[in-house]
Amino acid sequence: TVAPDPALAAVIETPVYDLTVFKLHFGKLTLKAYTKGEHVLRFEAITHNTGELRTGRVLDRFCDIVTALAGMLDRFLTVCDSVHASFADDHTPGQLPQPARLGATRLGGIDINRPRARAALSAALSLASRPAGFTAADFTAKIQVITGDTGYTARQAAYDMRKLRAKHLINRQGCSRRYQTPPDAVRTIAGILLLRDQVLIPCLAAIRDPALAPPPASPSPADQHYAALRTQMRALLHNCGLAAA
């Protein structure tokens, strides 16, 4: 397997009781979220070396540094909001596998039943919070970490990124070689992955084997919803004449 880059990491800390600190490290830049009192959630953007912001380091550039940090924090909050309120309409699953065009180039669709396609979507979602966007090299490294496949090449990454661009799931930043995942795409990608991994697969697995696992002693709201869905879906499949085998 591929070890994650220590300079690019998500860290959850619980230094004291009832306090959780969530950090995203991007080299010498950090995004931080933590509780502040009983009803306040605080977010911060931190630079450990202002050279990472590419704004200059002299005192005259202080306003530019603060503006860059504010933009970094604003994008992080936008991504958090998009993931929290993810959405995929009824046309998206059918449109993604269809061929698309990027300029004059005709490209294949995105089949979420294929592990490589799901890894590409997950990589675009994971890199959405990067302050300055991401490069093809970042995308390649992220997929290698997600899949554990060190044989995934930059050429394969370039092709997968073109397919994502054709579906407007990532955008190029101007004329640069950096890319970003726009908020609407973050919402769509999160919705698709959640539907597949957290709704459809668990429900189908539970329908196939109603005694898959003993019920928890103190079921959470999510556990209760899964139990209700399992019961209703078994009845729906029976009425439709579809065997749960």
Side-chain angles (χ1 to χ4, degrees):
T1 59
V2 180
D5 186 344
L8 303 172
V11 179
I12 298 178
E13 302 172 354
T14 53
V16 297
Y17 176 74
D18 202 26
L19 171 65
T20 300
V21 181
F22 176 69
K23 295 179 181 178
L24 284 177
H25 296 291
F26 302 98
K28 294 181 174 61
L29 301 175
T30 298
L31 292 162
K32 179 180 176 182
Y34 62 98
T35 52
K36 185 72 172 178
E38 186 176 355
H39 300 292
V40 177
L41 180 61
R42 184 169 181 172
F43 294 85
E44 296 178 358
I46 304 167
T47 175
H48 306 284
N49 187 324
T50 53
E52 289 285 311
L53 295 173
R54 301 179 182 178
T55 58
R57 307 165 107 178
V58 298
L59 187 59
D60 290 345
R61 297 284 187 173
F62 181 74
C63 291
D64 295 332
I65 293 171
V66 172
T67 299
L69 287 171
M72 175 176 155
L73 185 60
D74 181 68
R75 174 152 185 82
F76 176 52
L77 292 174
T78 300
V79 170
C80 288
D81 180 65
S82 299
V83 172
H84 175 70
S86 56
F87 174 76
D89 60 36
D90 56 346
H91 299 294
T92 302
Q95 291 175 346
L96 278 182
Q98 298 301 316
R101 286 188 176 275
L102 183 63
T105 304
R106 190 172 186 273
L107 298 165
I110 300 173
D111 184 357
I112 62 172
N113 294 313
R114 296 181 178 273
R116 178 170 153 181
R118 292 197 303 275
L121 291 171
S122 297
L125 187 61
S126 298
L127 296 169
S129 295
R130 295 210 62 169
F134 57 90
T135 64
D138 297 328
F139 188 84
T140 304
K142 177 57 67 174
I143 289 192
Q144 289 179 350
V145 170
I146 290 172
T147 63
D149 180 12
T150 57
Y152 183 81
T153 65
R155 178 172 292 185
Q156 290 174 310
Y159 179 70
D160 289 339
M161 291 176 70
R162 286 198 297 271
K163 291 203 297 184
L164 291 173
R165 288 177 61 200
K167 296 292 183 179
H168 306 291
L169 296 178
I170 64 173
N171 295 331
R172 176 177 282 177
Q173 294 181 335
C175 297
S176 70
R177 294 187 179 182
R178 305 191 72 86
Y179 303 85
Q180 64 180 6
T181 310
D184 287 345
V186 170
R187 188 172 286 110
T188 298
I189 294 171
I192 291 170
L193 294 178
L194 282 171
L195 279 174
R196 183 189 184 277
D197 298 337
Q198 303 299 325
V199 179
L200 295 178
I201 290 180
C203 284
L204 290 174
I207 290 169
R208 183 180 64 250
D209 187 356
L212 190 62
S218 301
S220 67
D223 292 326
Q224 297 173 22
H225 288 311
Y226 278 126
L229 278 172
R230 179 182 64 189
T231 301
Q232 294 298 322
M233 286 189 69
R234 287 183 67 85
L236 175 63
L237 293 178
H238 175 74
N239 291 335
C240 292
L242 182 61

